[in-house]
Amino acid sequence: MSHIVIDARELRTTSGRYIERLLHYLQKIDDQHDYTVLLTSKDIDDWEPTNPRFHKVETSYKEFTFGEQLGFLKQINSLKADLVFFPFVQQPIGYRGKVVTTIQDLTTLRFYNPAKNKLVFTVKQKIYGQVIKHAVRHSDRVITPTKFVRDDVIAYTKANPAKFVVTYEAADAITDKATPIKALKGRQFIMYVGRPQPHKNLSRLIDAFGILKESHPKLTLVLAGKKETLFDRHEQEVANKGIADVIFTDFVSEGELRWLYENTAAYIFPTLSEGFGLPGLEAALAGAPVVASNASCIPEVYGKGAHYFDPLDVPDMARQISKVLDDASFRATLASAGLKQAQKYSWERMAQQTLDVFNTTLDA
């Protein structure tokens, strides 16, 4: 029996699904180790362990702060862990015990966020790069969600490939009842859901949609996701280009998202960089045919369950989407293949593989 500490400070963030699912299944499969789960004050009352070996402890130290390097380090040391698991690269650089770290991707290093101050963001990127290198260097094992990310991190850090382990993540079918969006009922639409960050490549998708409108004049493009500065910029971009029938939904509920997936003519994923690419798998589980970028890890994860385009080639994007829209038989075959591909992945298997990594590290 060993004591494992899990840093769950990002449990309720946009990236927290990974931590939440890991904790959920670890509690089901591990009756050997004791766990301390570190949670922020805003999450401490919302998460309750279901396994008596799991205990929650509040922490007040934010990521990428001096407090993390000093106070959080002191707190972790006081817990006398046999192993600490960091689901993201941010961690106290002074910790010297056994560590397993997950690196989701290197996207933040590669793309500038125009909503941020460029000078400040560039400095933060450089610091983040050093944080990644330190995390890899000082971790006993490094987990990545795909082989693509594993190879990318190894190339960037020059680390020993032997310390890397790939644990594929998964998507969950939405169980909420489908809730129609009245403005879209009876309309043919294609869609994207998620944040509008630069690597999501929405400007090229908008341009490709402009081309598609020439041959599909009644088609609508739905961009779903909570309104923020970058979505406002895309909305202005659409207005400036005079492209009709682009709908920005703002936040959608789980039920509304399920309805969108179930009724879309195609789910479009034009991304330039991902660690795993959950949205396309989630759409596929709901029966949506997926048309996706051939960049990054997407072909590795989606396999034959998607139809691909070059995300830097706007006419090619339009052509490949059109192929799916214009061929009902191909669309049905693609939807079936996507469902089959999405069902290959399992959060429980990911948790078991992660537990295997913990045990290997503890035994070393």
Side-chain angles (χ1 to χ4, degrees), residues 141-145 150 161-167 353 357:
R141 297 287 188 279
V142 177
I143 294 172
T144 63
R150 176 197 63 192
K163 69 164 57 179
F164 287 78
V165 179
V166 175
T167 65
Q353 291 169 336
V357 173

Side-chain angles (χ1 to χ4, degrees), residues 104-331:
Q104 295 288 343
D105 57 59
L106 298 183
T107 300
T108 301
L109 290 179
R110 304 267 164 73
F111 294 88
Y112 162 64
N113 186 339
K116 307 292 184 180
N117 178 285
K118 189 169 186 177
L119 177 60
V120 173
F121 191 82
T122 300
V123 171
K124 286 185 175 180
Q125 278 183 314
K126 292 184 180 301
I127 294 173
Y128 185 63
Q130 294 306 310
V131 169
I132 291 171
K133 290 179 179 179
H134 174 272
V136 171
R137 187 166 57 248
H138 287 274
S139 295
D140 295 84
R141 297 287 188 279
V142 177
I143 294 172
T144 63
T146 54
K147 295 174 183 176
F148 175 88
V149 175
R150 176 197 63 192
D151 295 344
D152 198 21
V153 174
I154 290 171
Y156 178 72
T157 62
K158 313 300 182 189
N160 181 358
K163 69 164 57 179
F164 287 78
V165 179
V166 175
T167 65
Y168 287 110
E169 297 172 11
D172 295 306
I174 298 174
T175 57
D176 288 18
K177 182 180 178 181
T179 305
I181 296 176
K182 293 180 180 179
L184 292 169
K185 290 184 72 173
R187 298 174 70 168
Q188 184 188 45
F189 62 90
I190 57 176
M191 66 168 292
Y192 161 88
V193 63
R195 300 189 68 192
Q197 307 309 104
H199 68 277
K200 299 298 186 180
N201 203 28
L202 297 188
S203 289
R204 289 190 180 92
L205 173 57
I206 290 167
D207 288 342
F209 178 70
I211 296 174
L212 281 167
K213 287 291 284 182
E214 297 173 9
S215 55
H216 301 77
K218 294 184 179 180
L219 186 65
T220 295
L221 171 62
V222 177
L223 299 177
K226 184 178 179 181
K227 288 286 188 74
E228 56 179 270
T229 301
L230 292 178
F231 260 137
D232 292 339
R233 294 188 182 197
H234 285 307
E235 203 160 7
Q236 187 60 52
E237 176 186 354
V238 167
N240 292 343
K241 293 177 178 178
I243 300 175
D245 298 319
V246 180
I247 293 179
F248 294 81
T249 66
D250 203 350
F251 172 81
V252 292
S253 68
E254 287 287 286
E256 288 171 327
L257 181 57
R258 177 176 175 177
W259 184 88
L260 286 170
Y261 285 153
E262 291 178 349
N263 289 274
T264 189
Y267 180 80
I268 317 300
F269 202 40
T271 185
L272 299 173
S273 179
E274 296 292 324
F276 185 69
L278 283 176
L281 293 180
E282 187 177 72
L285 284 174
V290 177
V291 190
S293 159
N294 64 9
S296 184
C297 66
I298 300 304
E300 176 188 346
V301 176
Y302 291 8
K304 295 180 180 179
H307 183 61
Y308 297 99
F309 53 76
D310 179 347
L312 299 177
D313 186 336
V314 171
D316 184 57
M317 193 186 303
R319 279 194 302 272
Q320 304 313 323
I321 295 172
S322 185
K323 283 183 181 180
V324 174
L325 296 177
D326 295 340
D327 189 335
S329 177
F330 178 45
R331 194 163 61 249

Side-chain angles (χ1 to χ4, degrees), residues 32-86:
Q32 178 182 359
H33 303 306
D34 289 325
Y35 289 83
T36 297
V37 181
L38 295 172
L39 297 156
T40 63
S41 58
K42 63 182 176 62
D43 296 333
I44 194 74
D45 293 329
D46 291 337
W47 185 84
E48 292 294 336
T50 57
N51 181 326
R53 287 187 174 276
F54 284 69
H55 307 277
K56 61 181 182 178
V57 171
E58 184 174 341
T59 186
S60 60
Y61 303 105
K62 294 182 179 180
E63 297 89 341
F64 300 111
T65 63
F66 286 113
E68 178 179 63
Q69 298 305 318
L70 300 175
F72 194 48
L73 172 62
K74 184 177 180 180
Q75 183 178 25
I76 291 175
N77 282 332
S78 72
L79 294 171
K80 301 186 184 305
D82 297 297
L83 172 69
V84 179
F85 173 59
F86 295 104

Side-chain angles (χ1 to χ4, degrees), residues 330-351:
F330 178 45
R331 194 163 61 249
T333 299
L334 185 60
S336 178
L339 176 60
K340 184 177 180 180
Q341 183 71 11
Q343 290 174 333
K344 291 180 179 179
Y345 299 103
S346 162
W347 285 117
E348 185 168 4
R349 183 169 60 246
M350 180 276 292

